[in-house]
Amino acid sequence: MKILAVCGLGQGTSLILRMNVENVVKELELEADVEHTDVSSASGMPADYIITSAELAESLTGHEGTVVIVNNYFDTNEIKAALSEALHS
């Protein structure tokens, strides 16, 4: 499974999100390749799941992957709940 952690510029914030997503993936005992990137690049990258904010999710409409929205990139409980819901839908 491939997961993209996406922010506006693809640098600091998405890197933090990626690290938190990796921790959540480990907690859920999943195997996933997690990368971080900016929203423009993400639209052309293959992925099963894209984790980002509601504002940036609008730019990813039509992407083949499931877009998972989180409000706080630092809240691993929110990331875990959102990713778990997406995995089971």
Side-chain angles (χ1 to χ4, degrees), residues 25-75:
V25 164
K26 189 179 295 185
E27 281 182 34
L28 295 173
E29 299 181 354
L30 301 171
E31 288 193 28
D33 176 29
V34 184
E35 295 181 26
H36 70 280
T37 189
D38 66 279
V39 68
S40 295
S41 298
S43 63
M45 296 173 69
D48 299 300
Y49 296 93
I50 299 173
I51 301 179
T52 191
S53 67
E55 295 82 15
L56 297 178
E58 294 176 16
S59 299
L60 297 165
T61 302
H63 191 283
E64 65 185 22
T66 300
V67 178
V68 178
I69 296 172
V70 294
N71 295 312
N72 185 344
Y73 289 5
F74 298 90
D75 186 347

Side-chain angles (χ1 to χ4, degrees), residues 71-83:
N71 295 312
N72 185 344
Y73 289 5
F74 298 90
D75 186 347
T76 55
N77 289 326
E78 180 186 0
I79 295 167
K80 184 176 182 178
L83 184 58

